[in-house]
Amino acid sequence: MGWVDMGYLLAYAGGQIPAGLVVDMYGPKAVLVVGLIGSGLMSLWFAWTRSVNVMMLLFVLNGLCQATGWPASTKVMAKQFPAETRTKFMAVWSTNYQIGGVIGTSLAGYLTAMYAWQTAFTVPAFILITIGALTIVYLPTADPASPTFVHEPTTFADVVRLLHNPLILRYGVSYFFIKYIRYAFLFWLPFYLQTAMSMPEDTAAYVSTSLEIGGAIGVIIIGFLPLSHATSCAIHLTALSFWLAVYPHLVGENWAVIVPLLATIGFFLYAPDSLIVGAAGQSLGGHHAAASACSTINALGSLGAFVQSLATPYIMQQMGWGFLFYMFSVLAMVSAVILATAPNERSKYSALP
């Protein structure tokens, strides 16, 4: 299953930039519909195959389908809301992948416990296909009531010019370290709670959701701070570095402090995560190239998720859980320094209008 996960992560990272380019050149609706329905179909097939090779192929294809979601969605949001208020709207909207994570983890745990493991794939698959159908009906290609919600094609030359913006690379490298940490928690937190904290499997699954609950709160708050995107993220990442470093000393074997500590870590982790790959990327790309800017940052970050799938289990086995938290602390501080030294988004490097 480790190879299946790695195939998915690599496909997701590799699909980001092409998906962003297609969205900016041809519009978000068709890309989003194909991604939603395609991901649902791949999940249905995955639930009933018995071949490891087919599982690997389906997860790779699922990764490519899911790679369409973020570029298309951020494009829609960029064109729906003006730049002056977009960060606040994005802050509320970006809670989707924390709240969705909580619901998804709880739903998968319930379905697996009550029924067969296949239902943890088939039920979400039907939900995705339904949302894809609703997108066909309700997401407008152009909204006459909203002059900004009209697709203005972006040329390949426009995207190439955008990718020469040094802030894109700076944000992407910073996001590499953020997403390394987030996916390490996403993949390994329940296992850590079971093995290091001796929690029952179901308890570990529910306790792990405290990270995303705290994250949803952080995502909303950071969107309303009167600071530049880079400054807000650097402050949160510095705080994240601190809490990751002190976590092994505070937790001991006391279950009572785990939930508030994980919620605090989630608060300072998800807030900069959502801002960098959302509102900050949209500001750099403008209406014309929001999808390409966000997807490029997300592609670099997703490479961090892929690298952690290789490195985290090895480091865990060789050095232990405590060392991992100290390593995460260092990575968070490196990410903070990268952003703290970034020029303002509205400098001479601003991208398309």
Side-chain angles (χ1 to χ4, degrees), residues 155-178:
T155 66
F156 184 77
D158 287 333
V159 176
V160 171
R161 178 161 63 90
L162 166 76
L163 298 182
H164 280 84
N165 184 337
L167 281 177
I168 295 284
L169 179 61
R170 183 182 288 266
Y171 279 13
V173 173
S174 174
Y175 195 49
F176 175 97
F177 297 113
I178 295 171

mmCIF file with all atom_site columns, all heavy atoms in Angstrom, residues 155-178:
data_model
loop_
_atom_site.group_PDB
_atom_site.id
_atom_site.type_symbol
_atom_site.label_atom_id
_atom_site.label_alt_id
_atom_site.label_comp_id
_atom_site.label_asym_id
_atom_site.label_entity_id
_atom_site.label_seq_id
_atom_site.pdbx_PDB_ins_code
_atom_site.Cartn_x
_atom_site.Cartn_y
_atom_site.Cartn_z
_atom_site.occupancy
_atom_site.B_iso_or_equiv
_atom_site.pdbx_formal_charge
_atom_site.auth_seq_id
_atom_site.auth_comp_id
_atom_site.auth_asym_id
_atom_site.auth_atom_id
_atom_site.pdbx_PDB_model_num
ATOM 1   N N   . THR A 1 155 ? -3.063 32.946 -22.551 1.00 0.00 ? 155 THR A N   1
ATOM 2   C CA  . THR A 1 155 ? -2.191 32.286 -23.511 1.00 0.00 ? 155 THR A CA  1
ATOM 3   C C   . THR A 1 155 ? -1.072 31.552 -22.794 1.00 0.00 ? 155 THR A C   1
ATOM 4   O O   . THR A 1 155 ? -0.776 31.810 -21.626 1.00 0.00 ? 155 THR A O   1
ATOM 5   C CB  . THR A 1 155 ? -1.580 33.305 -24.480 1.00 0.00 ? 155 THR A CB  1
ATOM 6   O OG1 . THR A 1 155 ? -0.702 34.166 -23.747 1.00 0.00 ? 155 THR A OG1 1
ATOM 7   C CG2 . THR A 1 155 ? -2.681 34.132 -25.145 1.00 0.00 ? 155 THR A CG2 1
ATOM 8   N N   . PHE A 1 156 ? -0.437 30.642 -23.509 1.00 0.00 ? 156 PHE A N   1
ATOM 9   C CA  . PHE A 1 156 ? 0.697  29.916 -22.941 1.00 0.00 ? 156 PHE A CA  1
ATOM 10  C C   . PHE A 1 156 ? 1.817  30.882 -22.579 1.00 0.00 ? 156 PHE A C   1
ATOM 11  O O   . PHE A 1 156 ? 2.499  30.706 -21.570 1.00 0.00 ? 156 PHE A O   1
ATOM 12  C CB  . PHE A 1 156 ? 1.196  28.876 -23.945 1.00 0.00 ? 156 PHE A CB  1
ATOM 13  C CG  . PHE A 1 156 ? 2.305  28.023 -23.420 1.00 0.00 ? 156 PHE A CG  1
ATOM 14  C CD1 . PHE A 1 156 ? 2.041  26.993 -22.531 1.00 0.00 ? 156 PHE A CD1 1
ATOM 15  C CD2 . PHE A 1 156 ? 3.616  28.241 -23.819 1.00 0.00 ? 156 PHE A CD2 1
ATOM 16  C CE1 . PHE A 1 156 ? 3.059  26.193 -22.031 1.00 0.00 ? 156 PHE A CE1 1
ATOM 17  C CE2 . PHE A 1 156 ? 4.646  27.445 -23.339 1.00 0.00 ? 156 PHE A CE2 1
ATOM 18  C CZ  . PHE A 1 156 ? 4.363  26.419 -22.450 1.00 0.00 ? 156 PHE A CZ  1
ATOM 19  N N   . ALA A 1 157 ? 1.999  31.928 -23.377 1.00 0.00 ? 157 ALA A N   1
ATOM 20  C CA  . ALA A 1 157 ? 3.038  32.928 -23.092 1.00 0.00 ? 157 ALA A CA  1
ATOM 21  C C   . ALA A 1 157 ? 2.757  33.646 -21.780 1.00 0.00 ? 157 ALA A C   1
ATOM 22  O O   . ALA A 1 157 ? 3.688  33.984 -21.025 1.00 0.00 ? 157 ALA A O   1
ATOM 23  C CB  . ALA A 1 157 ? 3.131  33.933 -24.240 1.00 0.00 ? 157 ALA A CB  1
ATOM 24  N N   . ASP A 1 158 ? 1.468  33.908 -21.501 1.00 0.00 ? 158 ASP A N   1
ATOM 25  C CA  . ASP A 1 158 ? 1.101  34.544 -20.232 1.00 0.00 ? 158 ASP A CA  1
ATOM 26  C C   . ASP A 1 158 ? 1.543  33.682 -19.053 1.00 0.00 ? 158 ASP A C   1
ATOM 27  O O   . ASP A 1 158 ? 2.084  34.186 -18.066 1.00 0.00 ? 158 ASP A O   1
ATOM 28  C CB  . ASP A 1 158 ? -0.421 34.760 -20.155 1.00 0.00 ? 158 ASP A CB  1
ATOM 29  C CG  . ASP A 1 158 ? -0.900 35.872 -21.065 1.00 0.00 ? 158 ASP A CG  1
ATOM 30  O OD1 . ASP A 1 158 ? -0.099 36.774 -21.350 1.00 0.00 ? 158 ASP A OD1 1
ATOM 31  O OD2 . ASP A 1 158 ? -2.056 35.823 -21.491 1.00 0.00 ? 158 ASP A OD2 1
ATOM 32  N N   . VAL A 1 159 ? 1.308  32.385 -19.157 1.00 0.00 ? 159 VAL A N   1
ATOM 33  C CA  . VAL A 1 159 ? 1.641  31.490 -18.060 1.00 0.00 ? 159 VAL A CA  1
ATOM 34  C C   . VAL A 1 159 ? 3.156  31.393 -17.884 1.00 0.00 ? 159 VAL A C   1
ATOM 35  O O   . VAL A 1 159 ? 3.671  31.379 -16.766 1.00 0.00 ? 159 VAL A O   1
ATOM 36  C CB  . VAL A 1 159 ? 1.031  30.093 -18.297 1.00 0.00 ? 159 VAL A CB  1
ATOM 37  C CG1 . VAL A 1 159 ? 1.456  29.128 -17.201 1.00 0.00 ? 159 VAL A CG1 1
ATOM 38  C CG2 . VAL A 1 159 ? -0.492 30.201 -18.350 1.00 0.00 ? 159 VAL A CG2 1
ATOM 39  N N   . VAL A 1 160 ? 3.884  31.336 -19.001 1.00 0.00 ? 160 VAL A N   1
ATOM 40  C CA  . VAL A 1 160 ? 5.348  31.296 -18.914 1.00 0.00 ? 160 VAL A CA  1
ATOM 41  C C   . VAL A 1 160 ? 5.870  32.539 -18.223 1.00 0.00 ? 160 VAL A C   1
ATOM 42  O O   . VAL A 1 160 ? 6.775  32.480 -17.380 1.00 0.00 ? 160 VAL A O   1
ATOM 43  C CB  . VAL A 1 160 ? 5.963  31.147 -20.318 1.00 0.00 ? 160 VAL A CB  1
ATOM 44  C CG1 . VAL A 1 160 ? 7.479  31.331 -20.266 1.00 0.00 ? 160 VAL A CG1 1
ATOM 45  C CG2 . VAL A 1 160 ? 5.616  29.785 -20.908 1.00 0.00 ? 160 VAL A CG2 1
ATOM 46  N N   . ARG A 1 161 ? 5.286  33.702 -18.567 1.00 0.00 ? 161 ARG A N   1
ATOM 47  C CA  . ARG A 1 161 ? 5.707  34.940 -17.909 1.00 0.00 ? 161 ARG A CA  1
ATOM 48  C C   . ARG A 1 161 ? 5.403  34.897 -16.418 1.00 0.00 ? 161 ARG A C   1
ATOM 49  O O   . ARG A 1 161 ? 6.206  35.338 -15.585 1.00 0.00 ? 161 ARG A O   1
ATOM 50  C CB  . ARG A 1 161 ? 4.989  36.136 -18.554 1.00 0.00 ? 161 ARG A CB  1
ATOM 51  C CG  . ARG A 1 161 ? 5.324  37.482 -17.904 1.00 0.00 ? 161 ARG A CG  1
ATOM 52  C CD  . ARG A 1 161 ? 4.972  38.620 -18.846 1.00 0.00 ? 161 ARG A CD  1
ATOM 53  N NE  . ARG A 1 161 ? 3.563  38.698 -19.138 1.00 0.00 ? 161 ARG A NE  1
ATOM 54  C CZ  . ARG A 1 161 ? 2.704  39.406 -18.429 1.00 0.00 ? 161 ARG A CZ  1
ATOM 55  N NH1 . ARG A 1 161 ? 3.108  40.064 -17.352 1.00 0.00 ? 161 ARG A NH1 1
ATOM 56  N NH2 . ARG A 1 161 ? 1.432  39.453 -18.764 1.00 0.00 ? 161 ARG A NH2 1
ATOM 57  N N   . LEU A 1 162 ? 4.262  34.345 -16.062 1.00 0.00 ? 162 LEU A N   1
ATOM 58  C CA  . LEU A 1 162 ? 3.905  34.217 -14.649 1.00 0.00 ? 162 LEU A CA  1
ATOM 59  C C   . LEU A 1 162 ? 4.917  33.356 -13.905 1.00 0.00 ? 162 LEU A C   1
ATOM 60  O O   . LEU A 1 162 ? 5.349  33.690 -12.802 1.00 0.00 ? 162 LEU A O   1
ATOM 61  C CB  . LEU A 1 162 ? 2.512  33.591 -14.528 1.00 0.00 ? 162 LEU A CB  1
ATOM 62  C CG  . LEU A 1 162 ? 2.138  33.086 -13.133 1.00 0.00 ? 162 LEU A CG  1
ATOM 63  C CD1 . LEU A 1 162 ? 1.789  34.244 -12.234 1.00 0.00 ? 162 LEU A CD1 1
ATOM 64  C CD2 . LEU A 1 162 ? 0.995  32.089 -13.195 1.00 0.00 ? 162 LEU A CD2 1
ATOM 65  N N   . LEU A 1 163 ? 5.324  32.265 -14.508 1.00 0.00 ? 163 LEU A N   1
ATOM 66  C CA  . LEU A 1 163 ? 6.209  31.321 -13.823 1.00 0.00 ? 163 LEU A CA  1
ATOM 67  C C   . LEU A 1 163 ? 7.617  31.874 -13.650 1.00 0.00 ? 163 LEU A C   1
ATOM 68  O O   . LEU A 1 163 ? 8.418  31.302 -12.917 1.00 0.00 ? 163 LEU A O   1
ATOM 69  C CB  . LEU A 1 163 ? 6.245  29.991 -14.574 1.00 0.00 ? 163 LEU A CB  1
ATOM 70  C CG  . LEU A 1 163 ? 4.896  29.260 -14.662 1.00 0.00 ? 163 LEU A CG  1
ATOM 71  C CD1 . LEU A 1 163 ? 5.038  27.938 -15.389 1.00 0.00 ? 163 LEU A CD1 1
ATOM 72  C CD2 . LEU A 1 163 ? 4.298  29.052 -13.284 1.00 0.00 ? 163 LEU A CD2 1
ATOM 73  N N   . HIS A 1 164 ? 7.940  32.989 -14.319 1.00 0.00 ? 164 HIS A N   1
ATOM 74  C CA  . HIS A 1 164 ? 9.213  33.652 -14.093 1.00 0.00 ? 164 HIS A CA  1
ATOM 75  C C   . HIS A 1 164 ? 9.170  34.558 -12.863 1.00 0.00 ? 164 HIS A C   1
ATOM 76  O O   . HIS A 1 164 ? 10.192 35.133 -12.485 1.00 0.00 ? 164 HIS A O   1
ATOM 77  C CB  . HIS A 1 164 ? 9.616  34.466 -15.325 1.00 0.00 ? 164 HIS A CB  1
ATOM 78  C CG  . HIS A 1 164 ? 10.236 33.632 -16.416 1.00 0.00 ? 164 HIS A CG  1
ATOM 79  N ND1 . HIS A 1 164 ? 9.488  32.943 -17.345 1.00 0.00 ? 164 HIS A ND1 1
ATOM 80  C CD2 . HIS A 1 164 ? 11.529 33.355 -16.700 1.00 0.00 ? 164 HIS A CD2 1
ATOM 81  C CE1 . HIS A 1 164 ? 10.301 32.292 -18.173 1.00 0.00 ? 164 HIS A CE1 1
ATOM 82  N NE2 . HIS A 1 164 ? 11.543 32.516 -17.800 1.00 0.00 ? 164 HIS A NE2 1
ATOM 83  N N   . ASN A 1 165 ? 8.005  34.712 -12.271 1.00 0.00 ? 165 ASN A N   1
ATOM 84  C CA  . ASN A 1 165 ? 7.868  35.512 -11.050 1.00 0.00 ? 165 ASN A CA  1
ATOM 85  C C   . ASN A 1 165 ? 8.597  34.805 -9.911  1.00 0.00 ? 165 ASN A C   1
ATOM 86  O O   . ASN A 1 165 ? 8.230  33.689 -9.531  1.00 0.00 ? 165 ASN A O   1
ATOM 87  C CB  . ASN A 1 165 ? 6.372  35.667 -10.729 1.00 0.00 ? 165 ASN A CB  1
ATOM 88  C CG  . ASN A 1 165 ? 6.111  36.557 -9.529  1.00 0.00 ? 165 ASN A CG  1
ATOM 89  O OD1 . ASN A 1 165 ? 6.968  36.735 -8.668  1.00 0.00 ? 165 ASN A OD1 1
ATOM 90  N ND2 . ASN A 1 165 ? 4.913  37.111 -9.466  1.00 0.00 ? 165 ASN A ND2 1
ATOM 91  N N   . PRO A 1 166 ? 9.647  35.410 -9.332  1.00 0.00 ? 166 PRO A N   1
ATOM 92  C CA  . PRO A 1 166 ? 10.410 34.709 -8.293  1.00 0.00 ? 166 PRO A CA  1
ATOM 93  C C   . PRO A 1 166 ? 9.606  34.424 -7.031  1.00 0.00 ? 166 PRO A C   1
ATOM 94  O O   . PRO A 1 166 ? 9.961  33.534 -6.260  1.00 0.00 ? 166 PRO A O   1
ATOM 95  C CB  . PRO A 1 166 ? 11.578 35.674 -8.006  1.00 0.00 ? 166 PRO A CB  1
ATOM 96  C CG  . PRO A 1 166 ? 11.101 37.011 -8.464  1.00 0.00 ? 166 PRO A CG  1
ATOM 97  C CD  . PRO A 1 166 ? 10.189 36.754 -9.623  1.00 0.00 ? 166 PRO A CD  1
ATOM 98  N N   . LEU A 1 167 ? 8.514  35.160 -6.809  1.00 0.00 ? 167 LEU A N   1
ATOM 99  C CA  . LEU A 1 167 ? 7.696  34.895 -5.630  1.00 0.00 ? 167 LEU A CA  1
ATOM 100 C C   . LEU A 1 167 ? 6.978  33.549 -5.737  1.00 0.00 ? 167 LEU A C   1
ATOM 101 O O   . LEU A 1 167 ? 6.712  32.902 -4.726  1.00 0.00 ? 167 LEU A O   1
ATOM 102 C CB  . LEU A 1 167 ? 6.669  36.011 -5.425  1.00 0.00 ? 167 LEU A CB  1
ATOM 103 C CG  . LEU A 1 167 ? 7.192  37.289 -4.783  1.00 0.00 ? 167 LEU A CG  1
ATOM 104 C CD1 . LEU A 1 167 ? 6.088  38.336 -4.719  1.00 0.00 ? 167 LEU A CD1 1
ATOM 105 C CD2 . LEU A 1 167 ? 7.752  37.025 -3.408  1.00 0.00 ? 167 LEU A CD2 1
ATOM 106 N N   . ILE A 1 168 ? 6.652  33.138 -6.973  1.00 0.00 ? 168 ILE A N   1
ATOM 107 C CA  . ILE A 1 168 ? 6.029  31.826 -7.162  1.00 0.00 ? 168 ILE A CA  1
ATOM 108 C C   . ILE A 1 168 ? 6.953  30.734 -6.636  1.00 0.00 ? 168 ILE A C   1
ATOM 109 O O   . ILE A 1 168 ? 6.541  29.846 -5.885  1.00 0.00 ? 168 ILE A O   1
ATOM 110 C CB  . ILE A 1 168 ? 5.702  31.581 -8.649  1.00 0.00 ? 168 ILE A CB  1
ATOM 111 C CG1 . ILE A 1 168 ? 4.639  32.563 -9.154  1.00 0.00 ? 168 ILE A CG1 1
ATOM 112 C CG2 . ILE A 1 168 ? 5.246  30.140 -8.857  1.00 0.00 ? 168 ILE A CG2 1
ATOM 113 C CD1 . ILE A 1 168 ? 3.236  32.268 -8.716  1.00 0.00 ? 168 ILE A CD1 1
ATOM 114 N N   . LEU A 1 169 ? 8.225  30.809 -7.033  1.00 0.00 ? 169 LEU A N   1
ATOM 115 C CA  . LEU A 1 169 ? 9.194  29.810 -6.578  1.00 0.00 ? 169 LEU A CA  1
ATOM 116 C C   . LEU A 1 169 ? 9.396  29.893 -5.072  1.00 0.00 ? 169 LEU A C   1
ATOM 117 O O   . LEU A 1 169 ? 9.454  28.863 -4.379  1.00 0.00 ? 169 LEU A O   1
ATOM 118 C CB  . LEU A 1 169 ? 10.532 30.005 -7.297  1.00 0.00 ? 169 LEU A CB  1
ATOM 119 C CG  . LEU A 1 169 ? 11.660 29.043 -6.889  1.00 0.00 ? 169 LEU A CG  1
ATOM 120 C CD1 . LEU A 1 169 ? 11.250 27.598 -7.180  1.00 0.00 ? 169 LEU A CD1 1
ATOM 121 C CD2 . LEU A 1 169 ? 12.950 29.399 -7.613  1.00 0.00 ? 169 LEU A CD2 1
ATOM 122 N N   . ARG A 1 170 ? 9.480  31.098 -4.533  1.00 0.00 ? 170 ARG A N   1
ATOM 123 C CA  . ARG A 1 170 ? 9.694  31.262 -3.089  1.00 0.00 ? 170 ARG A CA  1
ATOM 124 C C   . ARG A 1 170 ? 8.519  30.672 -2.307  1.00 0.00 ? 170 ARG A C   1
ATOM 125 O O   . ARG A 1 170 ? 8.714  29.940 -1.336  1.00 0.00 ? 170 ARG A O   1
ATOM 126 C CB  . ARG A 1 170 ? 9.876  32.739 -2.753  1.00 0.00 ? 170 ARG A CB  1
ATOM 127 C CG  . ARG A 1 170 ? 10.186 33.007 -1.281  1.00 0.00 ? 170 ARG A CG  1
ATOM 128 C CD  . ARG A 1 170 ? 10.298 34.505 -1.035  1.00 0.00 ? 170 ARG A CD  1
ATOM 129 N NE  . ARG A 1 170 ? 11.504 35.061 -1.596  1.00 0.00 ? 170 ARG A NE  1
ATOM 130 C CZ  . ARG A 1 170 ? 12.642 35.221 -0.929  1.00 0.00 ? 170 ARG A CZ  1
ATOM 131 N NH1 . ARG A 1 170 ? 12.723 34.838 0.336   1.00 0.00 ? 170 ARG A NH1 1
ATOM 132 N NH2 . ARG A 1 170 ? 13.690 35.764 -1.515  1.00 0.00 ? 170 ARG A NH2 1
ATOM 133 N N   . TYR A 1 171 ? 7.302  30.987 -2.726  1.00 0.00 ? 171 TYR A N   1
ATOM 134 C CA  . TYR A 1 171 ? 6.135  30.437 -2.041  1.00 0.00 ? 171 TYR A CA  1
ATOM 135 C C   . TYR A 1 171 ? 6.083  28.913 -2.192  1.00 0.00 ? 171 TYR A C   1
ATOM 136 O O   . TYR A 1 171 ? 5.704  28.191 -1.263  1.00 0.00 ? 171 TYR A O   1
ATOM 137 C CB  . TYR A 1 171 ? 4.853  31.047 -2.610  1.00 0.00 ? 171 TYR A CB  1
ATOM 138 C CG  . TYR A 1 171 ? 4.517  32.414 -2.065  1.00 0.00 ? 171 TYR A CG  1
ATOM 139 C CD1 . TYR A 1 171 ? 5.440  33.161 -1.335  1.00 0.00 ? 171 TYR A CD1 1
ATOM 140 C CD2 . TYR A 1 171 ? 3.278  32.985 -2.293  1.00 0.00 ? 171 TYR A CD2 1
ATOM 141 C CE1 . TYR A 1 171 ? 5.139  34.417 -0.848  1.00 0.00 ? 171 TYR A CE1 1
ATOM 142 C CE2 . TYR A 1 171 ? 2.960  34.249 -1.812  1.00 0.00 ? 171 TYR A CE2 1
ATOM 143 C CZ  . TYR A 1 171 ? 3.896  34.958 -1.095  1.00 0.00 ? 171 TYR A CZ  1
ATOM 144 O OH  . TYR A 1 171 ? 3.583  36.200 -0.611  1.00 0.00 ? 171 TYR A OH  1
ATOM 145 N N   . GLY A 1 172 ? 6.447  28.436 -3.387  1.00 0.00 ? 172 GLY A N   1
ATOM 146 C CA  . GLY A 1 172 ? 6.408  27.001 -3.622  1.00 0.00 ? 172 GLY A CA  1
ATOM 147 C C   . GLY A 1 172 ? 7.399  26.239 -2.762  1.00 0.00 ? 172 GLY A C   1
ATOM 148 O O   . GLY A 1 172 ? 7.077  25.174 -2.225  1.00 0.00 ? 172 GLY A O   1
ATOM 149 N N   . VAL A 1 173 ? 8.626  26.780 -2.614  1.00 0.00 ? 173 VAL A N   1
ATOM 150 C CA  . VAL A 1 173 ? 9.621  26.119 -1.765  1.00 0.00 ? 173 VAL A CA  1
ATOM 151 C C   . VAL A 1 173 ? 9.180  26.142 -0.312  1.00 0.00 ? 173 VAL A C   1
ATOM 152 O O   . VAL A 1 173 ? 9.306  25.145 0.415   1.00 0.00 ? 173 VAL A O   1
ATOM 153 C CB  . VAL A 1 173 ? 11.000 26.800 -1.931  1.00 0.00 ? 173 VAL A CB  1
ATOM 154 C CG1 . VAL A 1 173 ? 12.003 26.231 -0.923  1.00 0.00 ? 173 VAL A CG1 1
ATOM 155 C CG2 . VAL A 1 173 ? 11.515 26.600 -3.352  1.00 0.00 ? 173 VAL A CG2 1
ATOM 156 N N   . SER A 1 174 ? 8.638  27.268 0.129   1.00 0.00 ? 174 SER A N   1
ATOM 157 C CA  . SER A 1 174 ? 8.114  27.340 1.492   1.00 0.00 ? 174 SER A CA  1
ATOM 158 C C   . SER A 1 174 ? 6.996  26.323 1.687   1.00 0.00 ? 174 SER A C   1
ATOM 159 O O   . SER A 1 174 ? 6.936  25.624 2.713   1.00 0.00 ? 174 SER A O   1
ATOM 160 C CB  . SER A 1 174 ? 7.596  28.751 1.781   1.00 0.00 ? 174 SER A CB  1
ATOM 161 O OG  . SER A 1 174 ? 6.959  28.807 3.040   1.00 0.00 ? 174 SER A OG  1
ATOM 162 N N   . TYR A 1 175 ? 6.136  26.202 0.677   1.00 0.00 ? 175 TYR A N   1
ATOM 163 C CA  . TYR A 1 175 ? 5.009  25.278 0.786   1.00 0.00 ? 175 TYR A CA  1
ATOM 164 C C   . TYR A 1 175 ? 5.470  23.827 0.759   1.00 0.00 ? 175 TYR A C   1
ATOM 165 O O   . TYR A 1 175 ? 4.788  22.942 1.309   1.00 0.00 ? 175 TYR A O   1
ATOM 166 C CB  . TYR A 1 175 ? 4.018  25.549 -0.349  1.00 0.00 ? 175 TYR A CB  1
ATOM 167 C CG  . TYR A 1 175 ? 2.666  24.915 -0.138  1.00 0.00 ? 175 TYR A CG  1
ATOM 168 C CD1 . TYR A 1 175 ? 1.988  25.061 1.073   1.00 0.00 ? 175 TYR A CD1 1
ATOM 169 C CD2 . TYR A 1 175 ? 2.058  24.171 -1.139  1.00 0.00 ? 175 TYR A CD2 1
ATOM 170 C CE1 . TYR A 1 175 ? 0.755  24.481 1.270   1.00 0.00 ? 175 TYR A CE1 1
ATOM 171 C CE2 . TYR A 1 175 ? 0.817  23.590 -0.952  1.00 0.00 ? 175 TYR A CE2 1
ATOM 172 C CZ  . TYR A 1 175 ? 0.179  23.743 0.259   1.00 0.00 ? 175 TYR A CZ  1
ATOM 173 O OH  . TYR A 1 175 ? -1.050 23.160 0.456   1.00 0.00 ? 175 TYR A OH  1
ATOM 174 N N   . PHE A 1 176 ? 6.626  23.556 0.132   1.00 0.00 ? 176 PHE A N   1
ATOM 175 C CA  . PHE A 1 176 ? 7.206  22.210 0.149   1.00 0.00 ? 176 PHE A CA  1
ATOM 176 C C   . PHE A 1 176 ? 7.363  21.731 1.591   1.00 0.00 ? 176 PHE A C   1
ATOM 177 O O   . PHE A 1 176 ? 6.989  20.601 1.929   1.00 0.00 ? 176 PHE A O   1
ATOM 178 C CB  . PHE A 1 176 ? 8.568  22.243 -0.556  1.00 0.00 ? 176 PHE A CB  1
ATOM 179 C CG  . PHE A 1 176 ? 9.324  20.940 -0.515  1.00 0.00 ? 176 PHE A CG  1
ATOM 180 C CD1 . PHE A 1 176 ? 9.266  20.058 -1.579  1.00 0.00 ? 176 PHE A CD1 1
ATOM 181 C CD2 . PHE A 1 176 ? 10.113 20.599 0.576   1.00 0.00 ? 176 PHE A CD2 1
ATOM 182 C CE1 . PHE A 1 176 ? 9.963  18.858 -1.558  1.00 0.00 ? 176 PHE A CE1 1
ATOM 183 C CE2 . PHE A 1 176 ? 10.814 19.403 0.616   1.00 0.00 ? 176 PHE A CE2 1
ATOM 184 C CZ  . PHE A 1 176 ? 10.736 18.524 -0.456  1.00 0.00 ? 176 PHE A CZ  1
ATOM 185 N N   . PHE A 1 177 ? 7.905  22.580 2.463   1.00 0.00 ? 177 PHE A N   1
ATOM 186 C CA  . PHE A 1 177 ? 8.140  22.185 3.850   1.00 0.00 ? 177 PHE A CA  1
ATOM 187 C C   . PHE A 1 177 ? 6.828  22.113 4.641   1.00 0.00 ? 177 PHE A C   1
ATOM 188 O O   . PHE A 1 177 ? 6.651  21.232 5.486   1.00 0.00 ? 177 PHE A O   1
ATOM 189 C CB  . PHE A 1 177 ? 9.105  23.165 4.514   1.00 0.00 ? 177 PHE A CB  1
ATOM 190 C CG  . PHE A 1 177 ? 10.465 23.183 3.874   1.00 0.00 ? 177 PHE A CG  1
ATOM 191 C CD1 . PHE A 1 177 ? 10.923 24.295 3.190   1.00 0.00 ? 177 PHE A CD1 1
ATOM 192 C CD2 . PHE A 1 177 ? 11.286 22.068 3.936   1.00 0.00 ? 177 PHE A CD2 1
ATOM 193 C CE1 . PHE A 1 177 ? 12.171 24.303 2.591   1.00 0.00 ? 177 PHE A CE1 1
ATOM 194 C CE2 . PHE A 1 177 ? 12.537 22.064 3.343   1.00 0.00 ? 177 PHE A CE2 1
ATOM 195 C CZ  . PHE A 1 177 ? 12.987 23.187 2.668   1.00 0.00 ? 177 PHE A CZ  1
ATOM 196 N N   . ILE A 1 178 ? 5.914  23.035 4.345   1.00 0.00 ? 178 ILE A N   1
ATOM 197 C CA  . ILE A 1 178 ? 4.626  23.015 5.043   1.00 0.00 ? 178 ILE A CA  1
ATOM 198 C C   . ILE A 1 178 ? 3.862  21.737 4.724   1.00 0.00 ? 178 ILE A C   1
ATOM 199 O O   . ILE A 1 178 ? 3.327  21.066 5.609   1.00 0.00 ? 178 ILE A O   1
ATOM 200 C CB  . ILE A 1 178 ? 3.787  24.251 4.657   1.00 0.00 ? 178 ILE A CB  1
ATOM 201 C CG1 . ILE A 1 178 ? 4.462  25.536 5.143   1.00 0.00 ? 178 ILE A CG1 1
ATOM 202 C CG2 . ILE A 1 178 ? 2.373  24.150 5.237   1.00 0.00 ? 178 ILE A CG2 1
ATOM 203 C CD1 . ILE A 1 178 ? 3.808  26.799 4.626   1.00 0.00 ? 178 ILE A CD1 1
#
